[in-house]
Amino acid sequence: MFKKIGPGVLIAAAFIGPGTITACTIAGVSFGYALLWAMLLSIIATMVLQEMAARLGIITQKGLADVIKNELTDRRIRALTIAIILGAILIGNAAYEAGNIGGATLGLEALFGEKYAKFYPIVIGFLAFALLWYGSYKALEKVFIILIALMSFSFVITAILTGPILGEILKGLFVPSMPSGSLLTVIALVGTTVVPYNLFLHASLVNEKWKLTSDLKTARWDTIMSIGLGGLVSMCVIIAAAAIPSDEVKSAMDLAMGLEPLFGNTARYFMGIGLFAAGITSSITAPLAAAYVANSCFGWKAGFKDWRFRLVWISILLVGVFFLSFGIKPIEIIKFAQVANGILLPAIAVLLVWMVNKANVMGVYKNNLTQNIVGYVIVAFSLFLGLKSIVKVLGLY
């Protein structure tokens, strides 16, 4: 079974970052189990889009940006599309990297205390650098399988410790409701799970693992299994957070602190381990995704050890460590990244569905009717999500 696990585990690790854990924490504390359906919907949407990206990557043996460039014949539209992709992902990932490293840092604080907290970002940055510099794709895959397993175990145990009510969980999963004031939280849950850069990352990573059309079934299994496990982790955070009767919990670290009086040090340590694993995996995948996107957009055809490929991920990693170490909060950059991602998600979803419907690109492996119906529904939903996130950032609501 584990031999079949591939790029899907890196995709799951990428979307379960500190942002996802914080959004899930707020959802659980504020609305209990009521928004579990939104996470379930997000996971299904992620599975559908990531399967399309993986299928496209295996059939074409190219990155998503490469395929888009080849199929957009109008020079100006092609240039604008590539500029938006580069801007959203390179600048966005650089802006969010400080938060990824910060999440891993909070995990270390929960485990080892705050005495050496100022050194934690450097330790995290060095660990991420070493894994990316000395590791190969296969080595990263193995590391991520361990980290995802550790994260899953930690958050599942944390959720079980809170003694959840099974009937209420099932109701939250399968009976959608929108409690007053929950709309932005629903948008946050979907936005941190259905991540645009993961589509580019997945299409490129499958080339490292699989070369034949006979591997499509394995890739689909890998996608469903890995992302499903990632969704379970996110749901466990919501369930754990629902046990805390406090509106003062605003982050994953607050959740760890809030669980301690109720369930002792055990919950705090499990939460710390899970948060560290979530932070370190996102700290690695965000720079890696940026490097793959740059590779495709500029047509480098660079390998994992190519200096141009390395230069991109090193830059993203250094920016993250620098911002966090000096307490810099690049609010304007993050706002730009949020607006760019709000534009990018529906645009890339449209382009992806279009590409996997083209016979000259996919041949007999293009979308069937069912896949198209589900794909178009997700495109419409991502358009709504993108517009709402832009309106929110620009303060127009």
Side-chain angles (χ1 to χ4, degrees):
M1 183 180 75
F2 288 106
K3 285 181 180 179
K4 291 183 178 180
I5 291 178
V9 77
L10 274 78
I11 303 305
F15 77 72
I16 314 171
T20 301
I21 293 172
T22 299
C24 291
T25 298
I26 293 169
V29 169
S30 303
F31 307 105
Y33 305 143
L35 299 184
L36 282 171
W37 66 269
M39 181 51 63
L40 180 62
L41 184 69
S42 305
I43 293 302
I44 292 169
T46 303
M47 284 178 180
V48 171
L49 290 177
Q50 295 296 160
E51 187 279 331
M52 289 183 192
R55 182 159 32 104
L56 180 121
I58 291 173
I59 296 301
T60 64
Q61 287 295 298
K62 294 177 182 176
L64 179 53
D66 285 315
V67 177
I68 291 171
K69 278 195 308 181
N70 290 343
E71 295 302 314
L72 291 176
T73 53
D74 187 288
R75 187 167 53 86
R76 286 169 296 183
I77 293 175
R78 184 170 61 239
L80 178 62
T81 304
I82 294 303
I84 291 172
I85 291 169
L86 275 172
I89 293 179
L90 294 187
I91 298 173
N93 283 12
Y96 295 139
E97 183 67 357
N100 294 332
I101 296 170
T105 298
L106 287 177
L108 290 180
E109 284 181 20
L111 293 169
F112 303 111
E114 299 179 12
K115 186 177 179 181
Y116 302 106
K118 62 182 179 181
F119 298 111
Y120 291 157
I122 298 169
V123 171
I124 299 298
F126 180 78
L127 183 57
F129 177 88
L131 285 168
L132 284 167
W133 184 270
Y134 294 107
S136 61
Y137 165 73
K138 287 184 178 179
L140 278 181
E141 196 178 90
K142 289 174 183 175
V143 168
F144 273 56
I145 288 171
I146 293 167
L147 288 172
I148 284 281
L150 189 64
M151 199 191 313
S152 304
F153 178 73
S154 297
F155 286 126
V156 168
I157 293 295
T158 305
I160 291 171
L161 282 172
T162 64
I165 303 164
L166 183 59
E168 291 296 313
I169 290 174
L170 293 174
K171 182 181 176 183
L173 277 171
F174 301 112
V175 183
S177 63
M178 289 282 288
S180 178
S182 65
L183 178 60
L184 291 181
T185 306
V186 170
I187 290 170
L189 289 173
V190 180
T192 57
T193 307
V194 189
V195 184
Y197 80 71
N198 276 348
L199 298 172
F200 294 91
L201 183 60
H202 207 170
S204 295
L205 287 177
V206 290
N207 300 336
E208 305 277 353
K209 179 88 173 180
W210 296 302
K211 305 292 182 185
L212 306 173
T213 56
S214 57
D215 294 319
L216 284 170
K217 186 177 179 181
T218 304
R220 188 175 292 116
W221 184 93
D222 167 58
T223 301
I224 292 169
M225 193 75 178
S226 300
I227 292 171
L229 190 59
L232 176 64
V233 169
S234 298
M235 288 176 188
C236 284
V237 176
I238 296 174
I239 292 166
I244 302 177
S246 170
D247 291 331
E248 295 178 7
V249 178
K250 300 296 181 189
S251 71
M253 195 60 189
D254 291 338
L255 176 56
M257 297 295 189
L259 288 169
E260 192 170 3
L262 296 170
F263 307 104
N265 286 335
T266 309
R268 175 190 170 98
Y269 287 131
F270 276 121
M271 194 73 195
I273 291 167
L275 194 54
F276 168 76
I280 193 69
T281 52
S282 294
S283 299
I284 294 168
T285 51
L288 190 63
Y292 273 118
V293 168
N295 192 24
S296 286
C297 287
F298 292 121
W300 291 337
K301 302 190 186 304
F304 210 76
K305 304 293 185 183
D306 189 283
W307 67 270
R308 293 166 297 182
F309 191 89
R310 282 176 162 174
L311 186 63
V312 176
W313 67 251
I314 288 171
S315 301
I316 302 291
L317 194 56
L318 285 176
V319 167
V321 173
F322 176 80
F323 280 159
L324 194 65
S325 297
F326 291 93
I328 300 169
K329 295 183 178 178
I331 292 299
E332 294 307 315
I333 298 175
I334 289 173
K335 282 186 176 181
F336 166 80
Q338 287 175 329
V339 170
N341 274 329
I343 297 168
L344 189 65
L345 178 57
I348 295 306
V350 168
L351 286 169
L352 178 61
V353 173
W354 178 38
M355 294 302 158
V356 292
N357 271 291
K358 289 177 76 73
N360 65 309
V361 174
M362 300 297 293
V364 296
Y365 299 101
K366 67 179 185 176
N367 269 11
N368 58 36
L369 180 62
T370 305
Q371 288 169 322
N372 275 333
I373 292 170
V374 176
Y376 291 137
V377 169
I378 293 169
V379 165
F381 189 66
S382 67
L383 183 60
F384 167 77
L385 178 72
L387 289 172
K388 290 294 292 185
S389 64
I390 292 167
V391 166
K392 179 190 171 189
V393 169
L394 298 179
L396 300 176
Y397 65 95

